[in-house]
Amino acid sequence: STSTAFVIDSNGKVGIGTSTPGARLGIVGGSGPSAWFVGTNSAGTSTDGGLIIDGDGESNDELFKIRADTNGGSSATDSDTKFIVRGDGGVGIGMLYPQAKLDIVSSSFPVLQTTRTTSLTSGTIGNYGSGIASGYVLTTETSGNMADGFGGGLLFYLADSGYNSVTTNAQARIYAQRDSTDSQAAIGFYTTNS
């Protein structure tokens, strides 16, 4: 039997490995990756090649989306979305409509894990390059001049059900706020949403 390697249908849709492309470009592969982008020049050395996707900046645009059929087939739907980048820059992992610049939803534990590897065995507090600086750097920046109370931090939410319901159930906060003339900020711990 024969298989379709390349086709342009009457609507201008291009199919690679399929005779019925479902979009302007449809690629159906066998074993291995269906597409592979490599930036090299004529000499075979690496360049700054890559993939650029342009959109008009609307939040309902789907600039990039990865779906995987939970049943192990090839009939994935939007409910099977694993990763998405929307037109407004929102990135969703495990969900279709991110409510922040990075939004992760997962039923497994842990939801997020980061690890810094280093050969350092000691460090000094406040030295970002030392072995002790192995966590996160959170920055809140203003275009004006900082005043008392300006800062940022972490908010912890609890919810019975429904992802969006967490927006009204802040239970605890850890903030770094400017206090008087101390530009280095003071840490504050809050155990209610007031």
Side-chain angles (χ1 to χ4, degrees):
S1 63
T2 59
S3 60
T4 300
F6 180 87
V7 68
I8 302 177
D9 68 13
S10 58
N11 296 314
K13 295 179 179 179
V14 177
I16 300 176
T18 177
S19 59
T20 56
R24 287 296 181 186
L25 173 62
I27 302 175
V28 177
S31 60
S34 297
W36 193 342
F37 298 90
V38 179
T40 58
N41 56 26
S42 58
T45 57
S46 297
T47 65
D48 294 330
L51 177 65
I52 296 176
I53 302 175
D54 286 334
D56 58 12
E58 296 183 1
S59 60
N60 60 345
D61 289 346
E62 297 177 346
L63 296 183
F64 186 79
K65 180 164 61 175
I66 298 175
R67 303 187 307 188
D69 190 345
T70 55
N71 296 319
S74 57
S75 302
T77 64
D78 279 348
S79 63
D80 299 311
T81 299
K82 307 303 180 185
F83 180 89
I84 190 168
V85 179
R86 292 202 165 269
D88 61 355
V91 176
I93 299 176
M95 47 99 70
L96 190 57
Y97 296 102
Q99 303 297 306
K101 285 301 181 183
L102 175 61
D103 209 336
I104 304 174
V105 174
S106 175
S107 61
S108 62
F109 177 86
V111 174
L112 176 65
Q113 178 173 314
T114 65
T115 303
R116 178 198 178 190
T117 59
T118 177
S119 61
L120 299 175
T121 57
S122 63
T124 302
I125 294 177
N127 183 349
Y128 290 147
S130 73
I132 202 168
S134 59
Y136 297 92
V137 176
L138 302 176
T139 302
T140 302
E141 182 178 314
T142 176
S143 58
N145 295 318
M146 287 189 299
D148 286 356
F150 176 81
L154 302 174
L155 281 75
F156 300 88
Y157 294 100
L158 298 177
D160 291 327
S161 64
Y163 173 68
N164 289 326
S165 65
V166 299
T167 57
T168 59
N169 290 305
Q171 299 299 314
R173 295 175 289 167
I174 301 175
Y175 270 103
Q177 293 180 311
R178 178 188 167 101
D179 184 14
S180 187
T181 58
D182 182 9
S183 61
Q184 298 300 312
I187 293 292
F189 297 87
Y190 303 83
T191 57
T192 68
N193 60 357
S194 59

